Amino acid sequence: MLPLAIVKKKYDVVVIGGGLSGLCAAVAAARHGCKVALVEARPVLGGNSSSLIRVNPSGACTFNSWARETGIIEEIITEYIRRSHLPIRNGLTTSLWDLILYETVRAEDNIELYLDTVAFDVEMSSSTKISAIQCLQIGSELMYKLYADYFIDCTGDGTVGALAGAEYRLGREARSEFNETPVIAPEKPDKQTQGSTLMFKSVSTNRRILFQPPPWAEKYPSEESLYVRPHKPLTMPNGSKIYSGYWWIEIGAPYNTIRQNSLIRDELLRHLLGVWDHIKNYGNHSAENLALEWIGFIPGKRESRRLMGDYILTEHDVKSQKPLPDRVAYGGWSIDVHTMGGILAKDRPPEHLIGNPDLSDELVVEPYSIPFRCLYSRNIENLLMAGRNISVTHVALGTTRVMMTCAILGQAAGTAAALCKRYSIMPRELYKSKRYLSELQQTLLKDDLFIPDLSNQDAQDLARTAKVTATSHAKLELEPTGDEQPLNVERCLVFPVSEDRIDRVYLWLHSYIDSDTKLTIEFMSVPSIWSLNKRNGEEPIKVTATIPALYKGWVEFNLNAKIKPNKLYRINVPMIRGLCWGQARLLPGIVAGWKRTYWKRWRHEHTAYALKLDPPSYPFRPENVVNGYARPYRWTNIWLSDPRKGFPQLITLDFSREVTFNTVYLIFDTNLNMETTRIPPSYIFPECIKDYSIKILDNGSYKTIIEVHDNYKRRRIHKFKSVTTQRLCVEVYSTNGDPSARIYEIRVYNEI
């Protein structure tokens, strides 16, 4: 054998980088028929989320209601939380996560996985087209030359793009170039980038554990020496408290995050051990029985090269919520650009919002669209990209770089590559063709991605024209749970109204004031659940009620308003210290918000408030399952059965004629309002349907063609031998705990 054996292989698509963006890109391309190679330099998949680095995946739901990302990443998250004994938090990732990512890839026959494989060169068929990448597989003494029609750079560093001569940016643009915020964008351009982080994890023992830092560790002898860097312990499922992983142990500028990666690691280790020394040996951290169990040795990068596409996403795109015509994904994390220098900048906060919460007006955004033009290179014709190396400004990267967003970008890029292969076109041609671009968008929707302001328009979906009925549907009920929130800030509630009028609205309020209090609320319509800062234009209706001294209960407000039915409406409640608003159980499409009186913009909160409407609203009707949306948006978009009626519950599609089909797609409820870091371990969403069957009308009676037990997944695709019928029904026998059957979407196809 030669010291290095050279192996040449040909694929349709080669994905370089096995983080969440690369994994989702590879799986998407493979599911759409491409022969795919997935190349990852490390021995495990997951990138920054892997057990080697242990950064928890976050996304739009942290800052926005009902915004958790779906598609392939939802499949992965749902599987992991069911099987994991630990929550999804920084520093807690185990090899189980690595295994589930590995299983996800191995389940696809069209993917060949290359772990421990470093891409170090490209072969070009012309100055604008890649023909192959050259890789070294560590440990096997194999050199691979992987040929493909399309390449997707998900390396984070944009390595393949840079090798191929793709245009890229590194560092910060001058604020004048894109007229971006002075809060973040510097007056002059430079090469500074956000930093990389090392995580750690401690473990609780039953004895005192001493820690003696090495002499080269940094010293943090006081709380003031860790200026505005929160380091509270984390409560584990067994009740013990440990310290685990801080994103602010971060260093970037003045180092180059690519060329000086090893120096950054060494410097981070100095500071990490200094922070642990602070926790163990200074102040009162109750860490006497804690031992340092794990330290990361691979820095988790935030920023390096950004490959330039035909569009550069900017701060203004992120803030405007303008639906760009070629949108294929969305983001919703804040504009989270960390302080240059990271922990080296000891006299400054690690990021702007921690230092000044009032910058919420500038930095917190509602979901915005990301265009396809950001996902392919402007000068290398067969190169796509996904992850933190897409075509954005330094400021916009602050929101697009988080891993849940990167995952859906990967799924979009992989699906686009598959369509390019199918039609023998390049990505730019796909963008320029109205037909191909629409097919890409509709395919992503069918695969359970959400794209702002786009609905299912698939002509092949037989369910779209069916008449839908159900055995019951729920009324909007927001009864008080016993918890309450003080009106020490302004608060609001967005809710759906099915009727054409509201005579009276009731709020459950608790007054701690020993005199009568007048409260004036505002009522108005809103375009979507993510429009806390975007009104429809009309003036709000203002109504006043008097709350008796020390009163606790429902307060009536006489609206007497004629309104448009089946729309979202909103109530604003001003700040009055001494008053509290009762909280309610959250339902799909219900959104709460808050703001300080001097803020310009509202922020989402993951709760609901007690409210009653007269006449009552019925926003969870069965026809929602075919209205084109599979999550709350401009409406609830979900069927909920009446919780008082129990099970079984049936929802029926009447096609009004005999139709032939062989596939049914179902989208259930996995509580998209719950951000990943708040999902408990060993968890199955109680809202998700557990046991159900699919039936067809056959010679006057219903015949079962599919029966499912113990389901816990949001999306189920059922394929079977073709049947012909006029009616299809889904019969729900139980959920995983919720009293209502819940279905967002039903699609019906006769697929080849």
Side-chain angles (χ1 to χ4, degrees), residues 239-362:
S240 66
K241 293 184 182 296
I242 67 166
Y243 291 85
S244 176
Y246 296 121
W247 56 265
W248 46 258
I249 303 178
E250 168 190 1
I251 294 173
Y255 296 94
N256 182 302
T257 51
I258 297 175
R259 298 296 184 198
Q260 296 178 297
N261 185 58
S262 294
L263 291 176
I264 289 173
R265 177 203 58 219
D266 295 345
E267 186 69 6
L268 281 169
L269 279 170
R270 285 203 323 108
H271 290 272
L272 186 154
L273 292 173
V275 170
W276 183 244
D277 176 40
H278 169 85
I279 291 170
K280 287 288 291 183
N281 300 321
Y282 297 93
N284 182 20
H285 296 93
S286 302
E288 294 82 5
N289 293 351
L290 297 185
L292 193 57
E293 181 187 61
W294 173 86
I295 300 172
F297 274 80
I298 301 175
K301 292 184 185 179
R302 285 181 180 82
E303 182 178 6
S304 53
R305 298 186 189 96
R306 306 187 302 279
L307 302 175
M308 293 296 100
D310 279 348
Y311 193 90
I312 302 175
L313 196 76
T314 73
E315 173 196 356
H316 302 291
D317 297 312
V318 165
K319 288 183 174 179
S320 71
Q321 293 183 280
K322 179 182 177 181
L324 296 162
D326 56 324
R327 57 199 180 277
V328 291
Y330 71 98
W333 186 261
S334 70
I335 302 176
D336 180 18
V337 177
H338 291 192
T339 298
M340 295 298 109
I343 202 168
L344 300 179
K346 294 186 177 183
D347 60 342
R348 288 182 289 163
E351 63 94 13
H352 297 83
L353 273 178
I354 284 185
N356 182 5
D358 291 343
L359 287 175
S360 176
D361 278 345
E362 294 288 335

Side-chain angles (χ1 to χ4, degrees), residues 6 147 160 220 250 330 409-410 512 528 558 636 723 733:
I6 299 176
Y147 293 85
V160 171
Y220 291 102
E250 168 190 1
Y330 71 98
L409 292 172
Y512 293 86
S528 82
N558 288 306
T636 63
V723 297
Y733 307 114

Side-chain angles (χ1 to χ4, degrees), residues 438-559:
S438 176
E439 183 174 350
L440 171 60
Q441 292 171 325
Q442 288 298 315
T443 301
L444 293 171
L445 293 178
K446 185 179 180 182
D447 291 343
D448 197 25
L449 287 191
F450 173 79
I451 304 174
D453 212 31
L454 277 182
S455 63
N456 172 17
Q457 299 295 322
D458 190 346
Q460 303 304 311
D461 178 10
L462 299 171
R464 289 181 60 225
T465 58
K467 180 181 178 181
V468 188
T469 56
T471 46
S472 72
H473 58 270
K475 179 173 69 173
L476 178 65
E477 293 184 297
L478 296 172
E479 295 291 329
T481 60
D483 297 321
E484 56 188 37
Q485 285 280 16
L487 291 175
N488 56 356
V489 294
E490 297 178 45
R491 299 192 186 275
C492 72
L493 187 71
V494 173
F495 51 93
V497 181
S498 61
E499 309 306 303
D500 63 358
R501 74 184 198 280
I502 298 181
D503 298 332
R504 285 165 291 277
V505 62
Y506 300 84
L507 306 184
W508 195 97
L509 299 170
H510 186 181
S511 174
Y512 293 86
I513 304 170
D514 58 6
S515 60
D516 292 355
T517 305
K518 289 188 179 297
L519 177 65
T520 300
I521 65 172
E522 294 182 331
F523 173 81
M524 68 199 75
S525 64
V526 289
S528 82
I529 61 169
W530 296 325
S531 299
L532 295 190
N533 297 293
K534 185 178 181 181
R535 297 184 177 182
N536 274 334
E538 75 269 20
E539 285 297 313
I541 299 172
K542 296 183 179 182
V543 186
T544 301
T546 299
I547 304 160
L550 305 176
Y551 177 78
K552 185 178 181 180
W554 291 106
V555 177
E556 178 183 318
F557 293 83
N558 288 306
L559 274 180

Side-chain angles (χ1 to χ4, degrees), residues 31-74:
R31 288 180 178 178
H32 286 287
C34 288
K35 189 69 176 175
V36 179
L38 176 57
V39 179
E40 167 53 43
R42 296 173 184 143
V44 296
L45 297 164
N48 283 346
S49 74
S50 75
S51 66
L52 299 179
I53 300 177
R54 304 193 182 185
V55 178
N56 61 248
S58 296
C61 195
T62 299
F63 292 92
N64 295 280
S65 304
W66 304 104
R68 197 173 76 240
E69 293 76 5
T70 50
I72 295 167
I73 190 61
E74 162 73 11

Side-chain angles (χ1 to χ4, degrees), residues 156-261:
D157 287 335
T159 302
V160 171
L163 288 168
E167 294 181 27
Y168 68 85
R169 294 184 176 212
L170 192 150
R172 304 188 292 178
E173 293 90 354
R175 67 183 64 143
S176 60
E177 183 174 358
F178 296 99
N179 192 28
E180 293 184 306
T181 175
V183 174
I184 297 173
E187 186 175 350
K188 295 180 180 180
D190 57 40
K191 297 299 181 184
Q192 295 190 62
T193 61
Q194 296 177 88
S196 306
T197 288
L198 284 186
M199 292 290 174
F200 72 91
K201 178 182 178 291
S202 63
V203 62
S204 180
T205 72
N206 59 3
R207 61 187 178 89
R208 185 178 179 84
I209 302 292
L210 300 179
F211 176 73
Q212 178 66 43
W216 42 265
E218 186 74 6
K219 287 293 182 184
Y220 291 102
S222 66
E223 292 301 304
E224 291 73 24
S225 65
L226 284 172
Y227 175 66
V228 199
R229 286 169 170 84
H231 48 283
K232 292 181 179 179
L234 176 67
T235 302
M236 299 294 282
N238 64 4
S240 66
K241 293 184 182 296
I242 67 166
Y243 291 85
S244 176
Y246 296 121
W247 56 265
W248 46 258
I249 303 178
E250 168 190 1
I251 294 173
Y255 296 94
N256 182 302
T257 51
I258 297 175
R259 298 296 184 198
Q260 296 178 297
N261 185 58

